[in-house]
């Protein structure tokens, strides 16, 4: 049977849309597709829930991440590295006890994170706010990585400045 649900990918939000309308746009778009209902049903059924969000820093990344935390309320967040820019979101993630899945190779390959220095900042801020995170792989074949490689990168980022 089904044991978990997961969605990935940012929702398109028009650039010209005023900031105040972006979260409403996300809510309406996801409601049309049933994501809010699916996530509520999954939580009610005690299934694990994950949403991949906040990987790239785009014009509506805050609203995207806020919607995911406030409405979908997943147990885990794939990537979510851009959240380090927003203390209020980090407080919500901490309060909701949501764990982040960090894919270092993927974030570097997609340029979602500029390099080791930015990762040092991200991890330091996550630690400051008590954010739980785990290291994961993403597209192991395409990125030619393994979980052991992700741990080596993490150690290099954290231990060698």
């Amino acid at each position: 049977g089904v044991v978990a649900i997961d969605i990935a990918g940012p929702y398109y939000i028009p650039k010209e849309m005023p900031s105040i309308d972006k979260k409403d746009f996300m809510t309406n778009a996801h409601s049309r597709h049933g994501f809010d209902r699916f996530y509520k049903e999954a939580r009610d059924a005690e299934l694990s829930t994950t949403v991949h969000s906040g990987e790239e820093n785009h014009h509506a990344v805050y609203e995207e991440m806020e919607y995911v935390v406030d409405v979908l309320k997943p147990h885990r967040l794939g990537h979510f590295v851009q959240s380090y820019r927003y203390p209020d979101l980090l407080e919500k993630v901490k309060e909701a006890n949501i764990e982040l899945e960090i894919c270092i190779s993927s974030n570097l390959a997609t340029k979602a994170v500029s390099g080791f220095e930015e990762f040092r900042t991200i991890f330091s801020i996550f630690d400051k706010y008590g954010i739980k995170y785990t290291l994961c792989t993403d597209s192991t074949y395409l990125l030619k990585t393994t979980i052991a490689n992700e741990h080596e990168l993490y150690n290099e980022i954290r231990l060698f400045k």
Side-chain angles (χ1 to χ4, degrees), residues 37-70:
R37 187 184 83 241
F38 297 147
Y39 272 77
K40 182 180 181 328
E41 289 175 9
R43 285 191 313 276
D44 290 349
E46 299 182 4
L47 299 178
S48 294
T49 56
T50 304
V51 177
H52 291 250
S53 174
E55 181 175 11
E56 299 167 357
N57 188 21
H58 56 82
H59 73 281
V61 70
Y62 177 85
E63 292 82 7
E64 175 189 315
M65 293 187 298
E66 182 183 40
Y67 171 83
V68 166
V69 171
D70 289 349

Side-chain angles (χ1 to χ4, degrees), residues 23-38:
K23 188 173 180 189
D24 286 339
F25 181 86
M26 289 285 296
T27 301
N28 292 334
H30 277 105
S31 292
R32 269 196 317 276
H33 296 293
F35 294 139
D36 52 349
R37 187 184 83 241
F38 297 147

Side-chain angles (χ1 to χ4, degrees), residues 73-88:
K73 302 176 184 173
H75 296 103
R76 292 173 65 118
L77 289 161
H79 304 291
F80 221 68
V81 291
Q82 300 305 324
S83 64
Y84 85 96
R85 303 170 189 278
Y86 306 102
D88 63 316

